[in-house]
Amino acid sequence: MLDTLGLSGLFGALLVLAGVAIVAVKAPVVAAGIVLVLLGLGLIVRRVAKSLMGVFGF
């Protein structure tokens, strides 16, 4: 996982998880909504990256 994300990517993922955990302590429903939004954004970014790689022939 470290080779794919790099150190800064791993640190960013840990910060996201910590942020959602902090919100989940006070408002679990809001935390669930944040997780759904983050998953949706991840799918969008994945699709855009795959499309761009296709344009460049990778």
Side-chain angles (χ1 to χ4, degrees), residues 1-17:
M1 184 169 156
L2 189 56
D3 354 337
T4 306
L5 287 177
L7 189 58
S8 62
L10 186 61
F11 184 66
L14 288 175
L15 283 177
V16 168
L17 287 175

Side-chain angles (χ1 to χ4, degrees), residues 1-50:
M1 184 169 156
L2 189 56
D3 354 337
T4 306
L5 287 177
L7 189 58
S8 62
L10 186 61
F11 184 66
L14 288 175
L15 283 177
V16 168
L17 287 175
V20 170
I22 290 170
V23 172
V25 169
K26 287 290 190 180
V29 175
V30 174
I34 291 172
V35 168
L36 289 175
V37 168
L38 289 173
L39 287 174
L41 284 173
L43 289 174
I44 290 170
V45 167
R46 179 179 175 205
R47 180 63 188 144
V48 168
K50 191 174 183 179

